[in-house]
Structures are given as C-alpha cells and as structure tokens.
Amino acid sequence: MARKIVDRIPEEQVQKDLEKYRQRAIELGATDARIITADDVIIDERVIAKCVYPKCPGYGTNANCPPYAMTPDEARKLVNNFQYGILAKLEVRPEHTSGQEAVEKNLSNPYRVKMSEIIAKLEAEAFYDGYHLAVGFGSGSCKMLFCPNNDCLVLTPGKGCPHRLKARSPMEAVGMDVYRMATRAGWDIYPIGDSTQPSEVPYGLRVGLVLIY
C-alpha cells in the first residue's frame, strides 16, 4: 500500500527504509549494495570526455546519453538536493566483459539490463513509499540495451520512450565517476578495455545508483 506524502519524513524512518532498499537490491540480484550520502557521489567533467574520446557507440543516439543527458553541472545541482542514495553493484564474469568475443557479442549486456531492472524497481518502490522525487541512474546506454535496432523515439518530437519505466541515464553519462565511487564504497574495480583478457581480471562490475531522499 502506498504511503501518503508528508512534508518531512522522520530520520529514523529514512534510515529504516534505506536499509530495506539496500537489502532489496540484493534480493533483486545485486552482488552488493551500500547506503551512501550525497557527498559520496563524485561528478567530474573528465568522465564526459571519456564518452567522446574515443566516442562511445551510444553517444548522440539516445536521450539518456551525451549530449542529450543532463550536464555535470545539472547533475551536481540535482545531487545537492538529496541526502542519501543506494549504490548497487553487479559482478560480471570476466569472460563476459573482457576479450574480443565479449566485445563483439556484447556478452555483458544481460548484466546491464539486470542492473537497469534493479535500479528501476528500487526507484519505484521508493516512490510508493513516499520518496516521490527518487531518481535512478543505470549502467550503459539504454539504446544499446533496449532499442539496438531502432532510432530513439524520445529524440523525435511528440514521441515518448517505450521503455520509460526502466531506461535511465547511465551514471557516467551525467559525469559520475563510477570507478572512484565504487572504490569509496569499498569495492574492487578494474579498468577493463578492448585489449583486456579474461585471465587478467577476477570480474567486471556494473554499478547503478538511486538517489532516495
């Protein structure tokens, strides 16, 4: 049952709910999840530069990636209006995230889709608990995940997103430094590129965030 909206949710209730969402993320399939504060969200313009140099396949193809996603300055202003969030991770088998076969066959996409589903469900549950401004950020271009063979309808005037309940901007698309945030959360994370071999890393990570309150 949905809770009624109140002007200010008591801190004791907020903390209880945050722990519930943290556990819920794991129930939904996350490898781990942490309660973080807004100060733990690191935004850096250099992250956007990595979307452009070398240019990501998702750049300019959908409304949730640069140059259409909110800018780092806009993201900072958004984050500054929150106190807490849930940061979730999903470990990816190394052979599904590194090596030529993984890249060519997009073997990490199911993990990205799973993280998108986890974030969307957490955001929705927080909404119905009275956190009506909760907002989520996923992992990876929504175009590549949900509409790989179609143009993004949101970029067409008068059209809406057919996957609006689960398609979100990836954290990196708004300038969030996922590597440093994961490290700050106490998680091991490795730089994985096209030349990385599965034997060189224990796993890859998909990371998502829901700003709650």
Side-chain angles (χ1 to χ4, degrees), residues 191-211:
I192 297 175
D194 291 352
S195 62
T196 306
Q197 297 305 309
S199 61
E200 297 176 324
V201 292
Y203 52 78
L205 283 191
R206 295 288 109 196
V207 181
L209 170 68
V210 183
L211 297 169

Side-chain angles (χ1 to χ4, degrees), residues 128-165:
Y128 289 113
D129 280 345
Y131 300 95
H132 62 291
L133 297 177
V135 60
F137 296 88
S139 176
S141 165
C142 64
K143 173 74 166 60
M144 297 168 66
L145 300 183
F146 304 119
C147 301
N149 300 315
N150 301 304
D151 292 336
C152 179
L153 291 179
V154 182
L155 299 181
T156 302
K159 299 291 185 179
C161 178
H163 304 285
R164 64 182 182 84
L165 295 181

Side-chain angles (χ1 to χ4, degrees), residues 3-185:
R3 298 180 194 168
K4 69 177 182 180
I5 301 296
V6 297
D7 181 57
R8 191 72 183 172
I9 301 174
E11 182 66 17
E12 182 179 356
Q13 183 65 57
V14 173
Q15 293 301 322
K16 181 179 178 180
D17 288 335
L18 288 169
E19 177 59 23
K20 180 181 73 171
Y21 302 140
R22 188 194 70 79
Q23 294 181 20
R24 180 67 173 139
I26 296 172
E27 289 174 4
L28 291 169
T31 308
D32 194 15
R34 299 291 171 89
I35 299 169
I36 66 170
T37 69
D39 290 339
D40 294 319
V41 180
I42 303 170
I43 298 175
D44 189 324
E45 280 76 6
R46 291 175 294 179
V47 177
I48 302 299
K50 297 296 289 183
C51 292
V52 183
Y53 309 108
K55 188 167 289 184
C56 172
Y59 185 90
T61 65
N62 67 92
N64 285 323
C65 282
Y68 303 108
M70 66 174 66
T71 66
D73 278 343
E74 290 170 334
R76 285 191 189 93
K77 291 176 182 178
L78 173 70
V79 171
N80 286 340
N81 282 287
F82 285 87
Q83 297 182 64
Y84 303 109
I86 300 295
L87 189 70
K89 75 166 180 174
L90 186 62
E91 293 181 2
V92 182
R93 291 168 57 181
E95 64 269 25
H96 289 170
T97 192
S98 55
Q100 186 175 358
E101 182 180 13
V103 174
E104 291 178 351
K105 296 183 179 180
N106 292 317
L107 297 182
S108 67
N109 271 4
Y111 299 89
R112 294 187 179 103
V113 171
K114 183 63 176 178
M115 180 55 69
S116 295
E117 293 172 346
I118 292 170
I119 293 305
K121 288 178 180 178
L122 288 181
E123 181 187 304
E125 291 182 18
F127 174 82
Y128 289 113
D129 280 345
Y131 300 95
H132 62 291
L133 297 177
V135 60
F137 296 88
S139 176
S141 165
C142 64
K143 173 74 166 60
M144 297 168 66
L145 300 183
F146 304 119
C147 301
N149 300 315
N150 301 304
D151 292 336
C152 179
L153 291 179
V154 182
L155 299 181
T156 302
K159 299 291 185 179
C161 178
H163 304 285
R164 64 182 182 84
L165 295 181
K166 56 184 178 181
R168 298 290 182 272
S169 283
M171 294 173 64
E172 59 272 18
V174 301
M176 294 182 186
D177 189 337
V178 179
Y179 285 82
R180 289 180 62 200
M181 289 174 63
T183 299
R184 184 172 289 185

